[in-house]
């Protein structure tokens, strides 16, 4: 019964209800100062929580100010400990704190990676699974048992507030248009290529995932729904050290992965590198039912298509990274970095499309074999420089980046028409294709930070990027036993994009009130050239993107935040390419060269209670929202999908976040969200007005079982949701895992079962104008994984973490 009591307590605390400490005479004040070990700079906006030593009950929570100082007022005389955490640093536990009637000033607390002593204060490093920061939510993948054996794409679906569709499109709190960054930079890949990249990035290479709902003007304006930053691991300790890992998994197919991270640092010199290899087998089952009414009224369709597809999708991936940092002196630091990936993705699928009349008579039975072998090779090069002028805490940084992405696809579509007895009718169609894609990305950026004093600072910067894409799709058709070029299926598309951007941010603290205002301007020029048809679409526009952030700490219990930003989502290059991709002769996808960018105004208001419970109200309005609309040509029994601009998209809702520790061995992180999505617009002669309320819940439990054992139990649920004309039924998933620390905590052995009940399935319906369809996708998500990792070498002060300037473009190019 004791455990049931703790579980009940955890769910009560999850939704923000709790019992505060008993009242007593308030007699003292506690002050502290947070600094970074390496730079001695103050750490601002760190979350600091104070606990009673005797029973670990939470007393108060606060944030450090811009000078790194935190204050707890009116503290009862006694013995306490506190925790301090913020992104980029190890969370710290400071014990043996004695509060008397006078003001108690702690020694300077320096956040670093190893445990150390601060006079009589014991500091140990412990990073929680989920961290709620002032501007973002951080999922520490390195600390997650359940992350083992997954890909970066699968990790995203475990993140609070994040959902994925069957094509890998990412939504945050119900809003699509999320900009994905790797190590703080956009990827400039198309959605399809980004999905392949994230599928090819093993969880063993990922350190953490940062979810930023309302980025400031310092960030690129891309990403209407916010940004997700996937931070890859980097071993950057003093001396020679590193880590290795290996895992073996089984779903409907086998999977495995292995990798190594190495680092050597001595004085101002640091060299590092990593390599990861993985194989991911995957088998999925897809079915669609389409009804054709030929424009006639009535619920009984004249014809019905039953399509069933089985896919076999093996994926071989290789990721590498190498770099060097050199500190010439205390004011000048130089760095070089190269990273890339190469691999092969195969989509081998068989589709049967059974077309019957209203009376059930077989009209057509094509069976299509699709084979797509996609190979990619991408490499990115970065030079970075940081200069620290004489003025205290000011900094000038510069990045130059070049990347090339080469993608090659070999396609085969073989359609055989069968009789009612499933024998060949002698009618067939055979096509083969070759689709090379080459993308070049050039990026330069410079940033400057100028503090006026400990309470105010100015940030400004400039960034320019140039992207060039060349896609040349060629198809041949087999006629009379000879391959003949097929110009009706072939397409050559070239795209160029230039963006120049400048920003300015000003931040000022007025006691407990912190204000940051920013403005970003971006000039965009694009040229989309359809070589095959000799047509060109040019666009040129300038947009301003203001942002505002206000936070106020009312007392040690209550604080609040307000944020606003205007953002843009540009079409990715594949969406602009109008060539058709066929799954079978009766289902195809095509791009739209006339897509316009969508613009969003977004506002959030948050209340934080005791530093642990956060309630957020959000509202956003998007004009010219891009949406993959589906249509039918009843007379041809054909269904197609193409991106279109709708008039508007409105999203509003409320979310609750809680991070509590019901007992010393149980940590609970939860996220609940209620939101409404509304799509409006005139589409294909109809008046679309589709809106639905949706509820989502994400719970992460971590259990410390003692003697090096620990376990995790997580689950998420998403109720019915809407995307354009599609309505998706609710679904849930539960995962469980355990681990054991070995070899003096240098080794870790894990076993994980993802999606225990295999309930992660997508069921969709679409009813709009003459469109009438159902879909069901059974993902290959139930998986058992065994893994082992080992850390070796010294464990000392971390080196600086580098970010290049082009990783924020890699997400929209079509190659690599």
């Amino acid at each position: 019964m004791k455990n049931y009591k703790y579980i009940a307590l955890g769910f009560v605390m999850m939704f923000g209800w709790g019992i505060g400490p008993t009242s007593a005479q308030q007699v003292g004040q506690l002050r502290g100062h947070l600094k970074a070990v390496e730079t001695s700079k103050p750490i601002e906006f760190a979350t600091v929580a104070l606990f009673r030593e005797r029973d670990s009950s939470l007393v108060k929570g606060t944030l450090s100010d811009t000078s790194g100082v935190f204050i707890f007022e009116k503290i009862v005389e006694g013995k306490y400990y506190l925790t301090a955490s913020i992104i980029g640093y190890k969370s710290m536990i400071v014990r043996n704190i004695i509060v008397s009637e006078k003001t108690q000033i702690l020694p300077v607390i320096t956040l670093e990676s190893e445990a150390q002593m601060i006079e009589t204060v014991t500091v140990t490093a412990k990073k929680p699974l989920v961290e709620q920061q002032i501007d973002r939510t951080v999922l520490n993948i390195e600390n997650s048992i359940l992350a083992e054996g997954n890909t970066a794409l699968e990790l995203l679906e475990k993140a609070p507030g994040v959902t994925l569709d069957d094509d890998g499109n990412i939504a945050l709190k119900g809003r699509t248009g999320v900009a994905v960054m790797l190590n703080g930079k956009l990827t400039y890949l198309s959605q399809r290529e980004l999905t392949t990249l994230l599928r090819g990035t093993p969880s063993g290479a990922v350190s953490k995932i940062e979810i930023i709902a309302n980025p400031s003007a310092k960030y690129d304006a891309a990403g209407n729904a916010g940004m997700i930053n996937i931070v890859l691991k980097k071993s950057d300790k003093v001396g020679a050290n590193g880590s290795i890992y290996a895992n073996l998994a089984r779903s409907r197919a086998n999977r495995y992965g292995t990798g190594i991270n190495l680092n050597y640092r001595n004085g101002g010199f640091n060299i590092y590198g990593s390599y990861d290899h993985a194989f991911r087998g995957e088998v999925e089952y897809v079915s669609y039912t389409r009804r054709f009414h030929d424009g006639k009224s009535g619920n009984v369709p004249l014809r019905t298509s039953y399509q069933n597809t089985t896919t076999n999708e093996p994926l071989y991936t290789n990721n590498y990274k190498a770099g060097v940092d050199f500190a010439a002196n205390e004011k000048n630091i130089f760095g070089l970095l190269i990273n890339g990936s190469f691999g092969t993705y195969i989509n081998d699928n068989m589709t049967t499309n059974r077309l019957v009349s209203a009376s059930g008579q077989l009209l057509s039975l094509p069976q299509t074999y699709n084979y797509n072998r996609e190979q990619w090779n991408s490499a990115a090069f970065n030079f970075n420089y940081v200069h620290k002028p004489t003025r205290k805490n000011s900094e000038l940084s510069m990045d130059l980046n070049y990347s090339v992405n080469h993608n090659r696809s070999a396609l085969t579509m073989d359609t055989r028409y069968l009789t009612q007895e499933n024998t060949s009718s002698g009618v067939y169609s055979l096509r083969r294709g070759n689709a090379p894609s080459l993308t070049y990305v050039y990026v330069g950026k410079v940033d400057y930070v100028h503090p006026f004093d400990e309470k105010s600072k100015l940030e400004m910067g400039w960034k320019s990027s140039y992207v060039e894409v060349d896609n040349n799709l060629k198809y041949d058709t087999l006629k009379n036993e000879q391959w003949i070029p097929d110009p009706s299926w072939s397409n050559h598309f070239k795209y160029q994009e230039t963006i120049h951007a400048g920003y300015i941010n000003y931040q000022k603290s007025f006691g407990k009130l912190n204000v940051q205002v920013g403005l970003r301007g971006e000039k965009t020029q694009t040229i989309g050239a359809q070589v095959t048809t000799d047509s060109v679409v040019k666009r040129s526009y300038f947009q301003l993107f203001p942002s505002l952030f206000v936070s106020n700490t009312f007392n040690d219990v209550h604080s609040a935040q307000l944020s606003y930003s205007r953002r843009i989502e540009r079409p990715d290059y594949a969406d602009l390419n109008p060539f058709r991709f066929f799954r079978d002769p009766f289902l195809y996808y095509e791009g739209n060269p006339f897509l316009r960018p969508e613009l969003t105004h977004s506002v959030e208001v948050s209340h934080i209670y005791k530093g642990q419970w956060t309630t957020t109200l959000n509202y956003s309005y998007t004009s010219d929202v891009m949406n993959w609309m589906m249509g039918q040509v009843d007379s041809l029994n054909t269904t197609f999908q193409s991106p279109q601009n709708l008039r508007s998209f409105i999203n509003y809702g409320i979310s609750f976040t809680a991070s509590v520790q019901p007992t010393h061995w149980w940590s609970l992180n939860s996220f609940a969200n209620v939101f409404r999505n509304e799509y409006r617009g005139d589409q294909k002669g109809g008046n679309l007005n589709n809106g639905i309320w949706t509820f989502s819940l994400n719970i992460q439990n971590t259990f410390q079982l003692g003697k090096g054992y620990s376990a995790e139990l997580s689950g998420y649920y998403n109720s019915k949701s809407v995307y354009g004309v599609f309505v998706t039924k609710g679904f849930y998933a539960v995962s469980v895992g355990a681990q054991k620390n070995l070899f003096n905590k240098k080794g870790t052995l894990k076993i994980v079962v993802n999606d225990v009940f295999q309930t992660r399935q997508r069921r969709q319906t679409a009813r709009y104008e003459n469109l009438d369809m159902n879909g069901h996708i059974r993902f290959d998500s139930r998986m058992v994984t065994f893994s082992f990792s080992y850390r070796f070498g010294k464990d000392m002060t971390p080196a600086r973490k580098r970010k290049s300037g082009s990783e924020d473009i890699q997400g929209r190019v079509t190659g690599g």
Side-chain angles (χ1 to χ4, degrees), residues 22-29 60 73-77 101:
T22 58
S23 59
Q25 183 182 5
Q26 298 169 326
V27 295
Q29 183 191 73
K60 293 183 178 183
E73 301 280 1
K74 300 178 182 179
I75 303 300
V76 179
E77 180 179 6
E101 295 185 7

Side-chain angles (χ1 to χ4, degrees), residues 200-238:
T201 303
S203 60
V206 179
S207 172
K208 57 188 173 183
I209 296 175
E210 301 172 346
I211 303 170
I212 311 171
N214 252 354
S216 71
K218 182 177 181 179
Y219 293 91
D220 287 71
N224 278 343
M227 289 182 162
I228 293 178
N229 183 28
I230 300 174
V231 181
L232 303 180
K233 289 180 180 177
K234 174 183 174 182
S235 178
D236 52 5
K237 309 290 180 60
V238 170

Side-chain angles (χ1 to χ4, degrees), residues 521-563:
E522 293 189 353
K523 172 67 174 180
T524 304
Q525 294 176 302
T526 64
I527 302 175
Q530 197 69 23
V531 179
T532 306
T533 59
D534 193 26
S535 62
V536 177
V537 177
K538 296 182 179 181
R539 294 192 185 277
S540 179
Y541 52 90
F542 175 78
Q543 293 283 350
L544 291 174
F545 303 97
S547 63
L548 171 67
F549 297 85
V550 180
S551 65
N552 187 52
T553 302
F554 299 102
N555 50 49
D556 295 329
V557 176
H558 299 281
S559 60
Q561 297 173 194
L562 167 69
S563 63

Side-chain angles (χ1 to χ4, degrees), residues 258 279 576 691:
T258 185
F279 168 76
L576 295 169

Side-chain angles (χ1 to χ4, degrees), residues 348-604:
D348 184 0
N349 67 75
M350 180 68 74
T351 299
T352 300
N353 194 337
R354 185 181 184 89
L355 182 68
V356 300
S357 66
S359 62
Q361 180 183 359
L362 179 66
L363 301 176
S364 176
L365 184 55
Q367 188 177 70
T368 300
Y369 170 68
N370 265 309
Y371 183 85
N372 179 10
R373 181 182 178 89
E374 181 179 331
Q375 295 177 297
W376 76 91
N377 191 343
S378 65
F381 305 87
N382 165 254
F383 168 76
N384 53 79
Y385 168 68
V386 176
H387 174 66
K388 299 179 180 180
T390 304
R391 185 180 181 86
K392 184 179 179 181
N393 296 331
S394 61
E395 182 176 284
L396 176 69
S397 60
M398 180 185 69
D399 281 273
L400 297 175
N401 303 269
Y402 165 76
S403 65
V404 57
N405 303 273
H406 190 196
N407 184 285
R408 302 173 301 279
S409 292
L411 311 160
T412 301
M413 191 174 79
D414 184 357
T415 301
R416 309 281 169 162
Y417 288 84
L418 308 180
T419 66
Q420 191 164 357
E421 290 76 26
N422 286 329
T423 60
S424 176
S425 67
V427 179
Y428 68 92
S429 172
L430 182 60
R431 288 183 171 89
R432 69 181 184 185
N434 182 39
S437 178
L438 194 60
T439 302
Y440 298 98
V441 179
Y442 305 85
V443 180
K445 65 189 292 283
V446 60
D447 299 279
Y448 177 66
V449 180
H450 182 87
F452 295 103
D453 50 45
E454 293 185 350
K455 294 185 177 182
S456 62
K457 66 178 180 180
L458 184 69
E459 297 177 308
M460 62 184 70
W462 181 269
K463 179 179 180 180
S464 293
S465 64
Y466 173 75
V467 180
E468 184 176 348
V469 183
D470 191 339
N471 291 329
N472 191 4
L473 174 64
K474 295 181 179 180
Y475 263 106
D476 299 326
T477 299
L478 187 64
K479 291 183 178 180
N480 300 322
E481 304 304 321
Q482 290 186 342
W483 289 105
I484 306 299
D486 191 340
S488 64
W489 280 49
S490 301
N491 182 74
H492 190 185
F493 180 70
K494 291 185 176 182
Y495 183 85
Q496 296 176 350
E497 177 187 87
T498 304
I499 301 177
H500 299 294
Y503 76 89
I504 184 169
N505 265 337
Y506 177 71
Q507 182 176 313
K508 175 73 173 178
S509 294
F510 304 90
K512 295 182 178 181
L513 178 67
N514 293 287
V515 179
Q516 177 180 291
V517 293
L519 183 64
R520 185 180 186 91
E522 293 189 353
K523 172 67 174 180
T524 304
Q525 294 176 302
T526 64
I527 302 175
Q530 197 69 23
V531 179
T532 306
T533 59
D534 193 26
S535 62
V536 177
V537 177
K538 296 182 179 181
R539 294 192 185 277
S540 179
Y541 52 90
F542 175 78
Q543 293 283 350
L544 291 174
F545 303 97
S547 63
L548 171 67
F549 297 85
V550 180
S551 65
N552 187 52
T553 302
F554 299 102
N555 50 49
D556 295 329
V557 176
H558 299 281
S559 60
Q561 297 173 194
L562 167 69
S563 63
Y564 162 80
S565 65
R566 183 176 189 257
R567 305 191 60 76
I568 189 172
E569 180 70 7
R570 300 177 180 90
D572 75 39
Y573 317 129
D575 291 348
L576 295 169
N577 191 349
F579 81 89
R580 292 181 176 181
F581 171 78
F582 284 80
R583 181 182 289 273
D584 65 32
F586 304 100
L587 173 63
Y588 66 86
Y589 308 87
E590 66 177 348
N592 179 3
F594 302 103
L595 274 180
R596 301 181 300 276
E598 57 185 54
L599 293 166
T600 296
H601 295 272
S602 178
V603 62
E604 286 195 350

Side-chain angles (χ1 to χ4, degrees), residues 697-735:
L697 177 66
N698 187 302
I699 299 177
Q700 306 266 355
N701 295 276
T702 303
F703 308 98
Q704 301 298 328
L705 306 178
K707 296 184 179 180
Y709 289 95
S710 59
E712 283 185 22
L713 174 65
S714 75
Y716 65 85
Y717 169 74
N718 295 310
S719 71
K720 182 190 295 186
S721 61
V722 62
Y723 174 76
V725 299
F726 294 95
V727 175
T728 301
K729 292 185 176 180
F731 63 96
Y732 71 95
V734 175
S735 301

